[in-house]
Amino acid sequence: MSDRMLTMAEAVREAMTIAFDERPEVFLLGEDVGIYGGAFGVSGDMYHRYGSERVLDTPIAELGIVGAAVGAALSGMRPIVEIQFSDFTAQAMDQIANQAAKIHFMLGGALHVPMVLRTPQGSGTGAAAQHSQNLEPWFASVPGLKVVVPSNPADAKGLLLASIDDPNPVIFLEHKLLYKIPGRDPVPEGSGRIPLGVAKVVREGKDLTIVATGIMVNKSYEVCEKLAAEGISITLIDPRTISPLDMQPVYESVEKTGRLMVVQEGPAHAGFINEVIAQMAGSSSFGSLIAPIKRLAGMNIPIPYAPQLEKAAVPQIEDIEAAAREIVKNWR
Amino acid sequence: MSTNPLVMGHPLASTENARHALLYMCRIRKFEEAVEDLFGRGMMHGTMHLSIGQEASPTGMCMALTIQDQITSTHRGHGHCIAKGADLTRMIAELLGKEIGYCGGRGGSMHIADVETGNLGANGVVGGGIPIAAGAALASKMMKKGTVAVSFFGDGAMNEGAFHEAANLAAIWKLPMILFCENNKYGMSSSTEKAFAIDDLADRGKGYGIPGVNVNGNDVVEVYEAAQIAVDRAKKGEGPTLIIAETYRWKGHSRSDKNLYRTKEEIEEWRLLDPIPKFIARAIKQKKLTQEQCDAIQQEATDAIVAAVNEAVKAKAADPAGLLDAVFKKVSA
Ligand SMILES: Cc1ncc(C[n+]2csc(CCOP(=O)(O)OP(=O)(O)O)c2C)c(N)n1
Ligand SMILES: [Mg+2]
């Protein structure tokens, strides 16, 4: 079992190799995915295993790369595109938001785009404002894109396999800080899929419901463990896919706990997590709340460089802990 | 603060010019070595892109520029900053996340700008600075400033849409712009052989109706000479020039590079083409500098970097308190 404690990078690679072996039409393209093994080492040895025909090193040309993936996808192939940093999806946004996302709908269903765009996001590496963004709301606000934000290696594997199966464009947002650390749970052998659009209840408690995305699931988990020792028990929910969004477990949990806190890395203003609050506010479970909903999110600033500034810009474990304690203590 | 006024003109025109060319190449080299050292000692956060081996290109280009002429730079931008006259202490302080750093610790290595010396900033986005330089050149033309804008970028950036769109705009509007490509043979792991279907990158100039010239980017004299022609052309209103300076980065792309895409032999070959001793030999031969002067200049560069590091280390760390107020320029009442 212990040898299945993979890192996120290993789990993503395993999912890609399973898909490569299952379907000849799956291929990978992106900058430095070949001999370099990917900027974050995710494709690793795939170039040596599958050759340059299926692991395509590209020039630095994000718009062209994603456009080529869209064209290949609607012509019978099943591309996985790696964009080296999610920040550079900006270069490719026409192909993502105006083309890939709209083709099936706009063309009356005549064509569809089975493409997965994988890309590392998030702060914590000291790479500053243009290499550290969390862009979940950019993608979540475009109808026609499915958006996956895995928080751990086991989910990443199953969700990526499901994303590759999906006949629609899927944006798969991997957090850089999770690449090199093993998850809490072993990654299952085999080719099991985790369906898109199904949230996961990570742990259950009765005092507070936390909904968090990506790396914030991990930070929140640590807080849950710590506060459990103090007698505060928390339900932690990981939506896993932010489009489509599965709110059912959130409603059910809030009906039991009466308190809701949402946590995301990206800036608070117009952030994805606000969607969870909005749906909660409009649901019949809203009346179960005994406390105002607490939102913890990044500051409304670009990610700064210096470590002390970068830390201040996004919620840290201590912030989550303090906020969780406060909401439970103050609202009884 | 900044080391301007900069010395302008041919690197071999006088002892003063030769001294400047050597001093600035050495400042860049020593700066990059210091960065590597700070990084290795865990004093610097994030990543670093070193330009060791490429010092002649920014030095030669900037010797054709006035302090008012503008540049845009890249992720591998320390050399451009220094050649344009930036203050070494404020640069190091930025890398160390200090309040007195050029960006107040908010930008780091990839975002240093120095308005005083016409440096509009390094850039974390490959190709990001090219259209910005075109815009600076447009403003110069519209406001009749008489300045040029130089965009430094790598070979890899030439395959971004930003390069093509900016080159065409600059060409059709005859902007006072120079597109300066530091062709160090690789964009991360992608060799120019793999990333281009043409052998001569300067041919790209033809596609936009502008001159495309090749220079030995490890020869500060050759770089300067091509740069001066391009600057003259731009300032006469004849439009942009594409300069391809052939050079090589000795170090990995960034801190995490295992160099799997190139051979040790290739790196060794290029280390022999070091631009600094090449210029020293020439300056001595042409009696612009003596060996003793060259030794003293190299020592001067080392001392300047050591002093900058010492001062920067002592400076106050950047404070998160002001972050929210830093996003927007205050609207004046
Ligand atoms: C738009 C964009 N795509 C990808 C990257 C990641 N990246 C940073 S530098 C680099 C290579 C750039 O090569 P080149 O332009 O030749 O400059 P060099 O590093 O050789 O100086 C890459 C791919 C980026 N920063 N921006
Ligand atoms: Mg290059």
Side-chain angles (χ1 to χ4, degrees):
Chain A
M1 185 189 115
S2 65
D3 65 326
R4 299 297 301 164
M5 299 306 287
L6 308 184
T7 64
M8 176 94 85
E10 290 164 341
V12 167
R13 178 159 63 248
E14 188 166 284
M16 290 197 288
T17 57
I18 290 168
F20 266 57
D21 292 339
E22 285 178 354
R23 295 171 183 259
E25 66 273 26
V26 175
F27 70 105
L28 173 67
L29 73 167
E31 293 158 16
D32 309 289
V33 297
I35 215 159
Y36 197 97
F40 290 91
V42 178
S43 49
D45 63 352
M46 287 180 70
Y47 179 82
H48 297 289
R49 282 180 71 172
Y50 297 100
S52 58
E53 305 266 289
R54 289 184 79 189
V55 180
L56 270 65
D57 259 329
T58 66
I60 309 168
E62 292 78 11
L63 178 71
I65 300 166
V66 178
V70 172
L74 49 82
S75 309
M77 298 297 285
R78 227 163 241 274
I80 305 169
V81 193
E82 178 177 302
I83 294 293
Q84 206 162 78
F85 286 79
S86 70
D87 312 71
F88 313 140
T89 58
Q91 270 73 358
M93 212 36 121
D94 172 59
Q95 289 295 334
I96 296 169
N98 291 332
Q99 313 297 339
K102 297 184 170 55
I103 282 174
H104 182 260
F105 177 84
M106 205 167 55
L107 274 53
L111 291 169
H112 63 280
V113 184
M115 165 185 94
V116 178
L117 187 156
R118 295 182 30 247
T119 188
Q121 70 168 352
S123 68
T125 64
Q130 294 174 334
H131 284 79
S132 304
Q133 296 171 88
N134 180 303
L135 300 176
E136 289 161 10
W138 282 21
F139 304 109
S141 66
V142 180
L145 298 178
K146 297 191 180 182
V147 187
V148 183
V149 188
S151 68
N152 65 84
D155 280 357
K157 178 180 172 184
L159 290 166
L160 183 55
L161 281 164
S163 301
I164 296 167
D165 289 345
D166 202 286
N168 299 290
V170 178
I171 309 296
F172 200 87
L173 300 170
E174 301 160 7
H175 201 289
K176 285 162 234 174
L177 294 187
L178 299 178
Y179 273 142
K180 293 204 172 114
I181 50 170
R184 284 184 304 275
D185 303 312
V187 175
E189 305 259 11
S191 57
R193 270 72 170 160
I194 296 173
L196 306 188
V198 180
K200 177 176 173 181
V201 179
V202 182
R203 49 176 293 152
E204 282 195 84
K206 57 183 182 19
D207 299 318
L208 170 66
T209 305
I210 297 182
V211 181
T213 56
I215 192 164
M216 290 299 151
V217 175
N218 297 272
K219 293 191 175 180
S220 300
Y221 188 88
E222 285 191 41
V223 171
C224 295
E225 296 264 279
K226 178 149 185 219
L227 294 189
E230 294 177 19
I232 297 176
S233 84
I234 301 173
T235 292
L236 175 59
I237 298 175
D238 176 358
R240 300 196 289 200
T241 61
I242 62 174
S243 288
L245 176 63
D246 175 17
M247 283 292 289
Q248 201 51 42
V250 182
Y251 299 146
E252 285 166 15
S253 173
V254 166
E255 282 168 20
K256 289 182 215 149
T257 64
R259 301 179 190 90
L260 175 63
M261 176 159 112
V262 297
V263 193
Q264 71 170 18
E265 181 185 29
H269 187 89
F272 159 74
I273 212 76
N274 304 355
E275 181 63 24
V276 173
I277 301 176
Q279 293 199 23
M280 188 68 215
S283 84
S284 58
S285 309
F286 185 68
S288 315
L289 285 168
I290 58 166
I293 298 170
K294 175 72 187 172
R295 177 180 66 176
L296 266 191
M299 288 170 76
N300 293 319
I301 60 170
I303 298 294
Y305 161 72
Q308 69 276 20
L309 305 186
E310 187 175 21
K311 276 214 180 77
V314 299
Q316 301 296 325
I317 289 172
E318 308 77 67
D319 305 320
I320 301 171
E321 185 185 327
R325 203 180 259 130
E326 200 181 289
I327 185 173
V328 174
K329 297 238 157 99
N330 290 357
W331 296 90
R332 300 196 163 270
Chain B
M1 287 286 262
S2 302
T3 54
N4 51 9
L6 288 177
V7 172
M8 286 177 64
H10 197 288
L12 292 171
S14 65
T15 294
E16 192 200 7
N17 284 18
R19 191 187 119 71
H20 180 89
L22 179 57
L23 180 64
Y24 275 72
M25 287 196 288
C26 292
R27 281 178 156 229
I28 298 170
R29 173 74 51 93
K30 296 296 169 196
F31 184 94
E32 299 290 45
E33 287 172 359
V35 172
E36 195 174 25
D37 177 60
L38 288 170
F39 209 94
R41 287 194 284 147
M43 290 173 69
M44 192 186 142
H45 180 54
T47 188
M48 57 175 174
H49 302 90
L50 302 176
S51 65
I52 297 180
Q54 305 186 186
E55 297 87 348
S57 290
T59 305
M61 179 68 237
C62 291
M63 286 186 80
L65 300 180
T66 67
I67 202 92
Q68 288 80 25
D69 289 327
Q70 293 172 300
I71 65 166
T72 65
S73 165
T74 68
H75 56 288
R76 201 177 304 288
H78 303 153
H80 311 141
C81 278
I82 294 171
K84 199 71 179 58
D87 178 67
L88 299 173
T89 304
R90 290 190 65 195
M91 285 183 71
I92 299 271
E94 184 55 37
L95 306 187
L96 298 180
K98 303 298 180 112
E99 203 85 60
I100 60 160
Y102 269 110
C103 321
R106 298 199 294 267
S109 162
M110 282 191 283
H111 302 289
I112 297 176
D114 180 21
V115 180
E116 262 184 74
T117 59
N119 180 352
L120 297 176
N123 211 308
V125 176
V126 168
I130 312 175
I132 293 175
L138 176 64
S140 171
K141 187 175 174 176
M142 295 176 87
M143 297 167 77
K144 302 195 173 28
K145 293 189 208 177
T147 56
V148 300
V150 180
S151 183
F152 288 104
F153 51 85
D155 45 286
M158 285 183 71
N159 292 321
E160 282 283 8
F163 166 82
H164 298 276
E165 298 186 23
N168 189 51
L169 286 179
I172 59 169
W173 290 338
K174 290 207 186 311
L175 298 180
M177 178 181 182
I178 293 162
L179 296 114
F180 193 104
C181 173
E182 292 170 310
N183 175 11
N184 61 9
K185 311 260 179 248
Y186 296 91
M188 221 163 137
S189 69
S190 278
S191 64
T192 48
E193 283 80 24
K194 278 172 67 183
F196 293 81
I198 51 173
D199 296 327
D200 183 357
L201 308 198
D203 282 349
R204 288 256 174 112
K206 285 193 203 110
Y208 300 100
I210 63 174
V213 295
N214 284 300
V215 296
N216 177 351
N218 281 11
D219 182 341
V220 68
V221 174
E222 226 186 274
V223 171
Y224 166 78
E225 287 170 351
Q228 191 62 59
I229 293 170
V231 168
D232 292 344
R233 179 180 140 83
K235 290 193 176 174
K236 276 190 285 188
E238 292 169 10
T241 301
L242 171 64
I243 297 177
I244 309 287
E246 195 182 1
T247 183
Y248 198 79
R249 69 167 153 74
W250 294 5
K251 300 287 174 171
H253 167 74
S254 64
R255 64 175 173 157
S256 48
D257 188 348
K258 298 191 201 79
N259 281 316
L260 298 175
Y261 51 88
R262 57 183 187 173
T263 62
K264 279 204 182 65
E265 291 72 30
E266 184 184 278
I267 300 173
E268 278 315 310
E269 273 171 38
W270 276 92
R271 288 176 80 104
L272 298 177
L273 304 175
D274 188 338
I276 295 175
K278 182 186 174 86
F279 179 70
I280 290 177
R282 197 144 163 210
I284 293 175
K285 193 159 162 229
Q286 299 210 9
K287 304 216 185 320
K288 301 298 176 197
L289 295 171
T290 64
Q291 184 63 55
E292 293 67 41
Q293 283 172 319
C294 291
D295 294 346
I297 290 166
Q298 287 176 283
Q299 189 58 46
E300 184 185 335
T302 305
D303 294 347
I305 302 295
V306 170
V309 171
N310 288 341
E311 204 182 326
V313 166
K314 281 185 290 190
K316 182 171 166 288
D319 182 354
L323 287 175
L324 271 180
D325 287 331
V327 180
F328 292 106
K329 170 103 177 143
K330 289 265 173 309
V331 179
S332 44

